[in-house]
Short mmCIF file of all heavy atoms in Angstrom, two decimals:
data_model
loop_
_atom_site.label_atom_id
_atom_site.label_comp_id
_atom_site.label_asym_id
_atom_site.label_seq_id
_atom_site.Cartn_x
_atom_site.Cartn_y
_atom_site.Cartn_z
N ASN A 420 9.40 -21.51 7.10
CA ASN A 420 8.92 -22.74 7.71
C ASN A 420 9.76 -22.98 8.96
O ASN A 420 10.99 -23.09 8.87
CB ASN A 420 9.06 -23.91 6.73
CG ASN A 420 8.26 -23.66 5.47
OD1 ASN A 420 7.10 -23.33 5.53
ND2 ASN A 420 8.91 -23.78 4.32
N VAL A 421 9.12 -23.08 10.09
CA VAL A 421 9.82 -23.28 11.36
C VAL A 421 10.50 -24.63 11.35
O VAL A 421 9.98 -25.62 10.83
CB VAL A 421 8.81 -23.17 12.54
CG1 VAL A 421 9.52 -23.40 13.87
CG2 VAL A 421 8.12 -21.81 12.53
N GLY A 422 11.69 -24.69 11.97
CA GLY A 422 12.47 -25.91 12.05
C GLY A 422 11.77 -27.02 12.81
O GLY A 422 10.60 -26.93 13.13
N GLY A 423 12.46 -28.03 13.11
CA GLY A 423 11.92 -29.20 13.78
C GLY A 423 12.40 -30.43 13.09
O GLY A 423 13.46 -30.44 12.46
N SER A 424 11.63 -31.50 13.14
CA SER A 424 12.07 -32.75 12.53
C SER A 424 12.19 -32.63 11.01
O SER A 424 13.01 -33.29 10.39
CB SER A 424 11.10 -33.88 12.89
OG SER A 424 9.81 -33.56 12.41
N SER A 425 11.37 -31.73 10.40
CA SER A 425 11.44 -31.55 8.95
C SER A 425 12.54 -30.59 8.54
O SER A 425 12.83 -30.44 7.36
CB SER A 425 10.08 -31.05 8.41
OG SER A 425 9.75 -29.80 9.01
N GLY A 426 13.15 -29.87 9.50
CA GLY A 426 14.29 -29.03 9.20
C GLY A 426 14.00 -27.57 8.91
O GLY A 426 14.91 -26.76 8.85
N GLY A 427 12.78 -27.21 8.67
CA GLY A 427 12.45 -25.80 8.39
C GLY A 427 12.93 -25.35 7.04
O GLY A 427 13.14 -26.14 6.13
N GLY A 428 13.13 -24.07 6.88
CA GLY A 428 13.59 -23.50 5.63
C GLY A 428 12.76 -22.30 5.24
O GLY A 428 11.85 -21.89 5.96
N SER A 429 13.09 -21.73 4.11
CA SER A 429 12.39 -20.56 3.60
C SER A 429 12.27 -20.65 2.10
O SER A 429 13.16 -21.21 1.43
CB SER A 429 13.14 -19.27 3.97
OG SER A 429 13.20 -19.10 5.35
N GLN A 430 11.18 -20.07 1.58
CA GLN A 430 11.05 -19.98 0.13
C GLN A 430 10.49 -18.60 -0.21
O GLN A 430 9.86 -17.95 0.62
CB GLN A 430 10.15 -21.08 -0.42
CG GLN A 430 8.72 -21.03 0.09
CD GLN A 430 7.93 -22.23 -0.41
OE1 GLN A 430 8.44 -23.36 -0.36
NE2 GLN A 430 6.73 -21.99 -0.85
N LEU A 431 10.77 -18.17 -1.41
CA LEU A 431 10.33 -16.85 -1.85
C LEU A 431 8.84 -16.83 -2.14
O LEU A 431 8.28 -17.82 -2.65
CB LEU A 431 11.09 -16.42 -3.11
CG LEU A 431 12.42 -15.73 -2.92
CD1 LEU A 431 13.37 -16.54 -2.10
CD2 LEU A 431 13.04 -15.36 -4.23
N THR A 432 8.24 -15.70 -1.87
CA THR A 432 6.85 -15.51 -2.22
C THR A 432 6.79 -15.15 -3.71
O THR A 432 7.80 -14.72 -4.30
CB THR A 432 6.21 -14.35 -1.42
OG1 THR A 432 6.89 -13.13 -1.75
CG2 THR A 432 6.25 -14.61 0.08
N PRO A 433 5.63 -15.31 -4.34
CA PRO A 433 5.50 -14.87 -5.74
C PRO A 433 5.83 -13.39 -5.89
O PRO A 433 6.43 -12.98 -6.90
CB PRO A 433 4.03 -15.16 -6.06
CG PRO A 433 3.67 -16.30 -5.16
CD PRO A 433 4.44 -16.03 -3.89
N PHE A 434 5.48 -12.57 -4.89
CA PHE A 434 5.81 -11.14 -4.93
C PHE A 434 7.33 -10.96 -5.00
O PHE A 434 7.84 -10.15 -5.78
CB PHE A 434 5.25 -10.40 -3.72
CG PHE A 434 5.72 -8.98 -3.63
CD1 PHE A 434 5.22 -8.01 -4.49
CD2 PHE A 434 6.69 -8.63 -2.69
CE1 PHE A 434 5.67 -6.70 -4.41
CE2 PHE A 434 7.13 -7.32 -2.63
CZ PHE A 434 6.62 -6.35 -3.48
N ALA A 435 8.09 -11.71 -4.19
CA ALA A 435 9.55 -11.59 -4.18
C ALA A 435 10.14 -11.97 -5.52
O ALA A 435 11.04 -11.31 -6.05
CB ALA A 435 10.14 -12.46 -3.07
#
Side-chain angles (χ1 to χ4, degrees):
N420 301 309
V421 179
S424 60
S425 61
S429 296
Q430 63 185 45
L431 273 56
T432 63
F434 172 75

